[in-house]
Amino acid sequence: MKTLEELMALRDAAKAQMTARDDSTEVTRIVVGMATCGIAAGARPVMAKFVEETAKRGLKHVTVSQTGCIGMCQYEPIAEVLVPGEEKVTYVQLTEEKVARIVADHIVNGNPVYEYTVGAVTK
């Protein structure tokens, strides 16, 4: 980078991609547990896959963020999907393959993938 214009263009491009902290009530939030237990169980690639899938589909109404311990370490990696006006859905024992289906079925089409949820695993 050699000019102020190049720096400003880079800043503008980064700002255009920043939706992870949008606090709008119309935003669907995906929150991935990234405490030590989650990271040890594979939460980093799961979070990266959520970011990749939502970006690939151009989902501007979706934010992906991280949190600390969700409190169910034995079920990590865990992600919670919070759709405005709907009950929270907690997905457990996630893999990158499961993330792709969650984004396609739940986030895009509004059909939670119940077999990946905490209720299905604890029964």
Side-chain angles (χ1 to χ4, degrees), residues 71-92:
M72 300 184 294
C73 301
Q74 68 271 26
Y75 299 119
E76 292 285 357
I78 298 173
E80 297 177 330
V81 174
L82 300 103
V83 177
E86 296 180 16
E87 193 170 323
K88 172 180 69 176
V89 178
T90 302
Y91 290 104
V92 296

Side-chain angles (χ1 to χ4, degrees), residues 39-119:
I39 292 169
R44 286 184 198 268
V46 165
M47 182 160 179
K49 187 68 171 180
F50 271 117
V51 171
E52 176 189 322
E53 287 291 319
T54 56
K56 179 172 72 175
R57 295 169 182 272
L59 301 175
K60 300 292 184 195
H61 70 288
V62 177
T63 63
V64 179
S65 61
Q66 65 184 36
T67 191
C69 185
I70 294 176
M72 300 184 294
C73 301
Q74 68 271 26
Y75 299 119
E76 292 285 357
I78 298 173
E80 297 177 330
V81 174
L82 300 103
V83 177
E86 296 180 16
E87 193 170 323
K88 172 180 69 176
V89 178
T90 302
Y91 290 104
V92 296
Q93 298 174 338
L94 291 175
T95 63
E96 293 178 64
E97 294 77 22
K98 289 179 179 179
V99 168
R101 182 166 172 214
I102 291 166
V103 172
D105 290 0
H106 189 171
I107 307 301
V108 173
N109 294 315
N111 301 312
V113 185
Y114 290 111
E115 68 228 51
Y116 299 162
T117 64
V118 69

